[in-house]
Amino acid sequence: MHNDTPSPAPGDCVLAVGTYTQAMPHVQGRGLGIHLLAFEAATASFRSLQVVSGPINPSYLCAAAGRLYSVSEQERDATLDIYAIEAGATVLRPIGQIATPGAAPCHVSVNLVARQLYVSNYGSGELLCYALDAEGLPRGAPQVIARRGAGPRADRQEGPHVHYAAPAADGARVYLCDLGTDTIACHRVLPDGLEAEPMRQWRTPPGAGPRHLVLAAGGTQAVVLEELSNTLALYALDGADDALARASTLPPDWRGANTTSALRLHPRGDLLYAANRGHDSVAVYRLLRAAPWLEPLGFIAVGGRTPRDIAFTPDGEFLLLAAQDDHLLRAVRIDPAT
């Protein structure tokens, strides 16, 4: 779910919502493709603008510089689909599709400073780096950064599983999360790609499974969501390898099955939101400037099963929740005081 498209009124935005169109072991796969929706803050309502059918399992999207990029999450024949965002962000027009090497891409991001695009292959465990031309289209074959290793969870960590990669604000570094090897890695950005070996790596506790991260405190800290251990961890990027703090995303008395999914930092920079699949909630924390660093504030009930992604409206007034297994979106107004 992506909502970075500019809109005329504060709080109003256009959403591009990805779906699964084919069944996979973890999902029913009943989606139609990519849905373009208008969100109107005054009424907290959604209105359909367009449905783009055709792409297979467009499970993750990224909007940048008038383009929407979509990965096709498949074990075979995966693609990257590119659309022009037109007519005041009310229309998506297909402008390109390329086959991507590897299996089950699950995340895509763009580095506008370096004119690069990154695809994370969960299934086969590589990071792909594409150069972008002036039209925002991939130019030539990607650089393939293969990773090695495994984790203690034989069912989820038999090998590398890159789940996320995105640039720092200055475009000079790319941070990735490898769920399969319990690793967070930082690669230096070069004029013609990425430095093949990480300039630095952080190891999570064995079996934690880092899935997504956000940069905070002016890019000096990374907050990492650990899917398998249902934890949130804070790292000082120029400090020690150990986390400054770690907190559970679940209530102390919860005993059911759960895995985390999405992590978002509120636009004002001091509130963190982590989605739970199983408990079906969003855990909320205040990011403090000193120890204990992470202050739990409570939970938001999603109102649907398996929240796969969450996103803020541009003004931060609403948190938008996407419940994968109940096929619904919900808007929750955020109280700035709490």
Side-chain angles (χ1 to χ4, degrees):
M1 183 167 61
H2 205 102
N3 73 333
D4 282 353
T5 305
S7 54
D12 289 358
C13 60
V14 173
L15 303 177
V17 182
T19 66
Y20 284 96
T21 63
Q22 295 182 357
M24 299 183 75
H26 64 285
V27 69
Q28 297 170 352
R30 291 163 44 189
L32 301 178
I34 298 173
H35 294 250
L36 202 62
L37 305 176
F39 175 74
E40 297 173 351
T43 57
S45 61
F46 301 92
R47 176 169 52 88
S48 180
L49 299 173
Q50 183 186 11
V51 178
V52 180
S53 59
I56 298 172
N57 292 347
S59 67
Y60 206 90
L61 314 174
C62 174
R67 301 289 182 258
L68 182 76
Y69 302 90
S70 165
V71 289
S72 169
E73 188 176 333
Q74 302 182 81
E75 290 295 330
R76 299 176 57 187
D77 303 322
T79 61
L80 174 71
D81 295 88
I82 306 101
Y83 303 86
I85 303 171
E86 298 180 338
T90 63
V91 173
L92 295 176
R93 178 174 60 87
I95 58 173
Q97 182 186 75
I98 61 170
T100 58
C106 65
H107 188 269
V108 57
S109 66
V110 171
N111 185 340
L112 288 176
V113 177
R115 300 207 62 80
Q116 293 177 355
L117 178 143
Y118 312 113
V119 172
S120 299
N121 280 340
Y122 177 85
S124 49
E126 308 97 355
L127 174 64
L128 309 180
C129 173
Y130 288 90
L132 295 177
D133 65 18
E135 297 299 315
L137 296 173
R139 187 175 68 238
Q143 177 189 11
V144 180
I145 295 180
R147 295 187 52 80
R148 298 171 295 277
R153 283 276 302 266
D155 59 332
R156 296 290 307 276
Q157 294 184 309
E158 78 295 342
H161 292 302
V162 178
H163 214 305
Y164 170 98
D170 63 3
R173 299 167 308 284
V174 169
Y175 294 90
L176 70 80
C177 294
D178 185 344
L179 182 149
T181 67
D182 292 319
T183 305
I184 303 129
C186 176
H187 288 258
R188 185 176 286 109
V189 175
L190 304 175
D192 58 349
L194 299 177
E195 199 164 65
E197 294 299 321
M199 59 185 291
R200 187 171 180 189
Q201 296 195 95
W202 296 262
R203 301 287 181 181
T204 69
R211 176 185 174 100
H212 277 200
L213 67 78
V214 297
L215 298 179
T220 63
Q221 296 175 342
V223 187
V224 180
L225 188 62
E226 298 164 338
E227 176 179 339
L228 304 182
S229 60
N230 301 302
T231 45
L232 195 68
L234 175 67
Y235 291 87
L237 295 178
D238 294 327
D241 291 343
D242 294 335
L244 294 173
R246 181 168 275 106
S248 174
T249 66
L250 294 168
D253 58 351
W254 174 257
R255 297 293 180 267
N258 190 82
T259 56
T260 60
S261 57
L263 176 66
R264 300 291 178 183
L265 181 67
H266 191 273
R268 77 182 198 185
D270 67 334
L271 296 172
L272 291 160
Y273 295 75
N276 285 305
R277 297 173 294 182
H279 190 248
D280 293 336
S281 66
V282 175
V284 187
Y285 311 81
R286 193 181 311 279
L287 181 59
L288 306 175
R289 296 184 179 182
W293 298 103
L294 296 172
E295 177 191 358
L297 297 181
F299 298 88
I300 299 170
V302 171
R305 293 174 299 155
T306 319
R308 175 60 183 267
D309 206 356
I310 57 179
F312 286 102
T313 53
D315 60 356
E317 185 173 355
F318 287 92
L319 179 65
L320 308 178
L321 314 169
Q324 172 184 291
D325 292 344
D326 277 329
H327 320 292
L328 65 84
L329 297 176
R330 183 181 177 208
V332 177
R333 191 183 300 271
I334 298 299
D335 182 345
T338 66

